[in-house]
Amino acid sequence: MADVPEGGGVILSEERVVVTQPEPGEYRAFSAVCTHQGCVVSDISNGAINCACHQSSFSITDGSVLGGPATAPLPEQAITVEGDSVRLG
Ligand code: FES
């Protein structure tokens, strides 16, 4: 699994998952499929997961909508953290 930056995250487009690290050592994972019209989200900056299609943004902490046309949060996905690696499921 790629390195997940603190206060940010990584987008795994193939798996359609976003893995974030909102607080040091605390990992979360969300669906990377925007709840607006289904684009895969495009980037993560300033604590937000952004969708370039129509500029929706979601919290890296809980997937909630921060802005844009989306009204539903990104669903959280289960992950397992083992030492330095984060595994889906
Ligand atoms: S599909 Fe993401 S903002 Fe529209």
Side-chain angles (χ1 to χ4, degrees):
M1 160 102 32
D3 283 343
V4 181
E6 273 182 33
V10 292
I11 299 166
L12 308 173
S13 324
E14 240 166 68
E15 291 86 351
R16 302 198 158 208
V17 167
V18 183
V19 180
T20 65
Q21 188 180 179
E23 302 288 336
E26 188 189 310
Y27 295 92
R28 299 275 162 79
F30 304 95
S31 163
V33 179
C34 180
T35 57
H36 178 230
Q37 286 182 3
C39 290
V40 172
V41 295
S42 50
D43 67 274
I44 298 174
S45 61
N46 301 323
I49 302 164
N50 303 303
C51 178
C53 286
H54 316 95
Q55 278 71 51
S56 286
S57 58
F58 304 89
S59 162
I60 64 165
T61 304
D62 60 7
S64 60
V65 176
L66 298 176
T71 55
L74 295 176
E76 191 154 3
Q77 310 232 326
I79 47 172
T80 307
V81 181
E82 280 167 1
D84 280 348
S85 70
V86 181
R87 211 160 32 82
L88 294 175

